[in-house]
Amino acid sequence: MTDPGESGPLGAGPAESADAETESTEGKGTGTAAGTAAAVEPETPADVAALADRIVEEVEDVIVGKRDAVEHVLVTVLARGHLLVEDVPGVGKTTLAKSVARSIDGSFKRVQFTPDLLPSDVTGVNVFNRRTDEFDFQPGPVFANVVLGDEINRAPPKTQSALLEAMEENQVTTDGTTRALPDPFCVIATQNDVEPGQTYELPVAEVDRFTKKIRLGYPDTEEEAAILGRLTGDHPVDAVEPVATIADVRRARRIVGEIEASEAVREYVARLAVFTRRNARLGASPRGSLALIRASQARAALDGRGYVIPDDVQAEAPTVLSHRIRTESGGTDGADVVSDALDRIRVE
């Protein structure tokens, strides 16, 4: 069901260099990005925008007609968050996650969530070593830069909860020992929405940890024809080359965190969140407000700006807030509440 991972956490301490040499074919890119990106280390929001453009262009060679989706992934990564993709099977969710991981020369692991999956299959387990008479920790697939949780709602809540600490604190605790996860660390989870009778509803606490929720949708006729042409030979994801390094991503995230969000913008975000709470059974949490600020900072960086404007907030609010909202039974849903909030709340 899952690749148990390497012998130690990637990007988390002394074991990193050894892990880099033993990474499996699904774990690392080709390692050619260092020379490509070294001369253009991001130092300003404009540099972050250039970095994002390189990544988008590289991934678009594989993911046809989904530039918005690729940008959503980049915004999520730059905002130090996680992404939930709800869609039908076969629209490229796995390919998207793997392509982004390869383009930043990051480690990638995939977990197929099933009803019999155990929490230790995700986080890792201590295994008794007969030679040393001690227990050795075997890290699970969560120890990667990009972790794809495929059909996450097929596993019961007990297994889903294995991701809660990882997604919130970038660490995993097993048998009383806490281990740091790689930096950056991003979960991209897919959710099956066509077989509700064979899936489990995601706990609200878990949904709230996803920065954004998106749908890919079906390609149009021309896009699908282009996809078919590219897949007649080797899978195009194998041709994705690193155009950035993990160090570049870390620096970019630091720059994004320093982008100015004025008091007026912060108050605007807070009033949007309060509106959702007053007009739904369960509104956006303060974690959701923070996610919206961070996503807006990342959106500003993608435009090369060093400050957030209301347009950034309005662009990010639907994918950041909607999935956190629970309405009473009826014709409205979270997206409707967010749309009403954007229509009625003005920047002061």
Side-chain angles (χ1 to χ4, degrees):
M1 290 177 289
T2 179
D3 183 346
E6 286 70 42
S7 58
L10 290 172
E16 182 177 5
S17 59
D19 290 334
E21 297 176 358
T22 59
E23 188 71 50
S24 69
T25 56
E26 264 202 345
K28 290 286 284 182
T30 60
T32 61
T36 302
V40 286
E41 295 177 355
E43 299 290 345
T44 66
D47 294 335
V48 176
L51 175 70
D53 284 341
R54 294 202 307 272
I55 295 172
V56 170
E57 290 174 5
E58 186 69 18
V59 175
E60 276 194 309
D61 287 340
V62 179
I63 306 296
V64 179
K66 301 297 181 184
R67 185 181 183 90
D68 287 347
V70 180
E71 289 186 352
H72 281 307
V73 177
L74 290 181
V75 166
T76 302
V77 172
L78 293 175
R80 304 173 184 271
H82 310 282
L83 179 68
L84 180 61
V85 185
E86 182 179 72
D87 222 317
V88 297
V91 293
K93 301 183 292 291
T94 301
T95 301
L96 173 62
K98 193 170 184 178
S99 298
V100 170
R102 289 178 67 93
S103 70
I104 62 174
D105 204 30
S107 55
F108 173 82
K109 294 293 180 184
R110 177 180 178 273
V111 187
Q112 179 63 57
F113 280 75
T114 58
D116 59 347
L117 191 73
L118 299 176
S120 59
D121 293 329
V122 178
T123 59
V125 64
N126 285 316
V127 177
F128 185 71
N129 188 328
R130 293 178 179 273
R131 297 178 182 176
T132 63
D133 287 337
E134 295 179 349
F135 283 92
D136 295 332
F137 179 69
Q138 298 296 321
V142 76
F143 287 92
N145 295 122
V146 178
V147 177
L148 175 66
D150 209 0
E151 295 189 305
I152 191 173
N153 57 336
R154 286 196 181 277
K158 178 180 180 180
T159 300
Q160 294 177 21
S161 67
L163 289 173
L164 295 183
E165 181 185 14
M167 294 172 66
E168 182 68 14
E169 303 177 47
N170 282 18
Q171 65 182 33
V172 166
T173 302
T174 54
D175 293 338
T177 300
T178 299
R179 297 175 174 86
L181 293 173
D183 178 22
F185 168 70
C186 178
V187 173
I188 300 178
T190 70
Q191 182 170 250
N192 185 316
D193 66 347
V194 295
E195 296 174 312
Q198 302 177 39
T199 57
Y200 299 86
E201 184 177 1
L202 298 186
V204 173
E206 182 176 9
V207 171
D208 199 41
R209 282 168 166 79
F210 286 102
T211 300
K212 298 166 75 75
K213 177 182 175 182
I214 66 170
R215 298 183 66 92
L216 295 183
Y218 287 119
D220 61 28
T221 303
E222 292 182 358
E223 292 168 350
E224 189 156 357
I227 292 171
L228 296 176
R230 296 182 187 186
L231 292 178
T232 53
D234 295 334
H235 199 293
V237 74
D238 297 329
V240 173
E241 294 289 341
V243 294
T245 66
I246 289 299
D248 289 334
V249 176
R250 293 192 192 110
R251 283 190 290 268
R253 290 169 71 162
R254 187 163 56 249
I255 293 167
V256 167
E258 295 171 354
I259 286 178
E260 179 185 3
S262 67
E263 183 177 354
V265 168
R266 297 195 302 271
E267 289 182 354
Y268 178 47
V269 169
R271 286 187 286 115
L272 289 174
V274 170
F275 181 94
T276 68
R277 296 166 198 160
R278 291 175 177 172
N279 292 274
R281 178 168 54 87
L282 178 66
S285 66
R287 183 191 283 127
S289 300
L290 178 59
L292 182 53
I293 285 289
R294 289 177 173 174
S296 300
Q297 289 175 306
R299 179 61 62 178
L302 262 58
D303 288 340
R305 274 184 284 103
Y307 54 90
V308 177
I309 60 176
D311 286 352
D312 298 322
V313 176
Q314 293 161 5
E316 292 300 321
T319 56
V320 173
L321 298 183
S322 298
H323 63 286
R324 307 171 193 272
I325 298 170
R326 298 291 181 273
T327 61
E328 302 292 347
S329 57
T332 61
D333 58 14
D336 294 327
V337 175
V338 173
S339 179
D340 287 344
L342 294 173
D343 287 341
R344 298 183 186 184
I345 304 298
R346 295 288 181 263
V347 181
E348 296 180 355

